[in-house]
Amino acid sequence: QVHLVESGGGLVQAGGSLRLSCVDSGRTFTGYTMGWIRQAPGKGREFVGVISWSGDSTRYADSVKDRFTISRENAKNTMYLQMNSLKPEDTAVYYCAARPYYSGSDDLAYAYWGRGTQVTVSS
């Protein structure tokens, strides 16, 4: 059973950086495609990025491209989201999610979700 736990959120000034982590404590990380999704106050969930099991394939939302980077360490059952040049509009709860197949799509059809970590960017 996949059990995802996010960490690393917090308060940061605009232009700053944060690195989020997502650990699968169920240790069934093998073979799963992982995604980051966010939800800003009063808005629906929004695709941020996705990474394949091997890490060879990634895709990002246009709003974060060239600022955010997704990576993973399969031996540690962990995925990361490095966020640079943060903007106030990046303020949201960030969720990691998993599914057993890779798609370059920005859909939100993931089988497993974490509880999220809050990221707040002040202006």
Side-chain angles (χ1 to χ4, degrees):
Q1 181 77 16
V2 176
H3 184 231
L4 304 175
V5 180
E6 304 93 338
S7 63
L11 174 65
V12 64
Q13 288 189 329
S17 298
L18 279 176
R19 188 176 82 154
L20 306 184
S21 298
C22 171
V23 176
D24 173 21
S25 61
R27 289 186 275 184
T28 54
F29 212 57
T30 302
Y32 279 84
T33 286
M34 303 295 296
W36 286 101
I37 297 93
R38 68 186 181 186
Q39 186 167 19
K43 296 187 177 180
R45 290 186 174 181
E46 175 191 25
F47 168 80
V48 174
V50 61
I51 186 167
S52 63
W53 153 246
S54 66
D56 290 344
S57 297
T58 56
R59 180 179 174 180
Y60 299 92
D62 288 343
S63 58
V64 306
K65 201 174 295 183
D66 299 326
R67 299 189 298 122
F68 290 11
T69 302
I70 299 175
S71 60
R72 63 191 295 167
E73 288 188 79
N74 290 336
K76 295 183 178 180
N77 298 310
T78 303
M79 173 181 65
Y80 305 99
L81 180 65
Q82 178 66 44
M83 305 186 294
N84 299 328
S85 302
L86 281 161
K87 305 175 181 180
E89 51 264 44
D90 294 319
T91 294
V93 176
Y94 283 72
Y95 299 90
C96 68
R99 63 188 179 195
Y101 61 91
Y102 180 75
S103 165
S105 169
D106 59 359
D107 68 85
L108 304 183
Y110 288 85
Y112 302 99
W113 292 75
R115 292 190 174 185
T117 186
Q118 176 71 47
V119 172
T120 303
V121 185
S122 63
S123 57

